[in-house]
Amino acid sequence: MIELRTFPGLFVGQRKLLTADEAPREEGGSRFACGGCGQELLRADRSFLNDVVVKCRCGEFNQL
């Protein structure tokens, strides 16, 4: 599992914001976890995260 990097929500910028509930769960994709609480957020190809920020249920904003 790859742990994502957390950052303040003020710096989302041009990236698309997804909540943990909206994030994809593709079979065979890499597993990514919240950098704050360690909960699995999504399963997808690494390239999916280039333009996406995922907000965890704990409130942390995560990016690759």
Side-chain angles (χ1 to χ4, degrees):
M1 190 169 316
I2 301 166
E3 192 169 289
L4 296 173
R5 185 170 51 97
T6 61
F7 66 99
L10 297 172
F11 300 107
V12 172
Q14 298 290 329
R15 295 176 179 221
K16 181 177 180 184
L17 179 64
L18 296 177
T19 63
D21 296 326
E22 298 171 328
R25 304 248 189 256
E26 299 173 4
E27 288 299 320
S30 298
R31 294 172 22 176
F32 296 93
C34 175
C37 68
Q39 180 180 2
E40 184 178 320
L41 293 177
L42 65 124
R43 289 184 186 190
D45 291 332
R46 195 177 185 96
S47 62
F48 174 79
L49 288 168
N50 289 343
D51 298 318
V52 174
V53 170
V54 182
K55 183 176 181 184
C56 184
R57 291 174 192 91
C58 74
E60 292 287 350
F61 291 87
N62 293 270
Q63 70 181 13
L64 191 56

